[in-house]
Amino acid sequence: MNFEVRSLKKNKEIEVHSEETSRNIKGQTYPVTELYIGKKQIGEVLSFGPKEFQSFADDEDLGTSKTLDLAIETIIRRWNLHEN
């Protein structure tokens, strides 16, 4: 999955790509979506259920979202705020 991010300052486009993996937490396996800009990981989304997606960036818990798209948007907004 690829996303396009536009920075408000310089209006430059940045490609965000994702990789699907899984995590074993307390004996249960959960799907994880890792987000990258270039080779740098900017965050990950842990899918607990059909409407429970937990966002993380640099070991910081960014909260729960009802959809994967909202969780990804949360990570991109946080990256845009702190990296630009």
Side-chain angles (χ1 to χ4, degrees):
M1 195 180 315
N2 289 322
F3 306 92
E4 196 174 283
V5 180
R6 292 179 188 248
S7 173
L8 295 178
K9 292 180 192 172
K10 300 176 187 169
N11 216 15
K12 65 179 182 177
E13 294 180 10
I14 300 167
E15 185 177 324
V16 178
H17 68 276
S18 65
E19 294 181 11
E20 304 298 322
T21 185
S22 61
R23 268 294 138 68
N24 193 339
I25 301 172
K26 297 182 182 177
Q28 189 161 356
T29 303
Y30 297 97
V32 175
T33 303
E34 297 175 340
L35 299 177
Y36 294 89
I37 293 178
K39 294 181 180 181
K40 180 181 180 188
Q41 183 178 11
I42 62 166
E44 52 189 20
V45 179
L46 187 71
S47 302
F48 284 111
K51 291 190 177 183
E52 188 176 359
F53 299 89
Q54 193 71 35
S55 303
F56 297 93
D58 297 329
D59 295 328
E60 178 184 347
D61 184 349
L62 302 178
T64 304
S65 301
K66 290 185 178 182
T67 67
L68 178 60
D69 287 345
L70 288 174
I72 290 170
E73 185 177 325
T74 299
I75 292 169
I76 293 172
R77 284 178 188 251
R78 185 223 176 254
W79 177 84
N80 211 8
L81 217 94
H82 294 285
E83 299 294 326
N84 288 326

